[in-house]
Amino acid sequence: KTFFTFGYSNSSPIDIQIDIYSLDGTKIKSINKKNVTSNGSNFIKVPTNGWDGRLDNGNKILNGTYVYHLKILQYANIIHDGIYKLTKLE
């Protein structure tokens, strides 16, 4: 399993959108969490129980590098918008 993690010290709730893409640009997974609040540690991890590398249809993603788009919104305003790499090795 993997977690998407970042620091967040504000007490206001946020919405988190994570879209994962293969290198050819195909969206393979979306993870969305609404009204997330800091647990006092200023550390957020999504999803709560981790992502097992499976697609919505239950198939596992193949080994390789992927990109993910992380967008964080507070009161419908974007407070972070970034693209990052993710590599799966098993």
Side-chain angles (χ1 to χ4, degrees):
K1 291 186 177 188
T2 193
F3 297 91
F4 299 89
T5 61
F6 57 90
Y8 180 68
S9 59
N10 195 316
S11 61
S12 299
I14 55 175
D15 296 334
I16 302 165
Q17 299 174 0
I18 301 170
D19 293 317
I20 305 167
Y21 297 87
S22 62
L23 291 180
D24 70 2
T26 303
K27 186 191 298 189
I28 61 167
K29 180 74 176 175
S30 290
I31 300 169
N32 297 297
K33 298 292 280 183
K34 301 270 186 201
N35 294 313
V36 176
T37 56
S38 176
N39 62 4
S41 71
N42 299 333
F43 183 75
I44 304 288
K45 68 179 187 177
V46 176
T48 305
N49 296 321
W51 177 50
D52 61 3
R54 293 189 183 273
L55 305 174
D56 292 332
N57 64 11
N59 293 336
K60 283 186 174 183
I61 62 172
L62 300 174
N63 285 347
T65 299
Y66 299 84
V67 293
Y68 67 96
H69 180 201
L70 170 65
K71 189 184 292 185
I72 303 170
L73 299 100
Q74 184 179 59
Y75 305 118
N77 297 311
I78 297 172
I79 60 172
H80 179 82
D81 190 354
I83 296 176
Y84 305 93
K85 291 181 190 175
L86 166 73
T87 299
K88 181 201 176 204
L89 297 173
E90 185 172 45

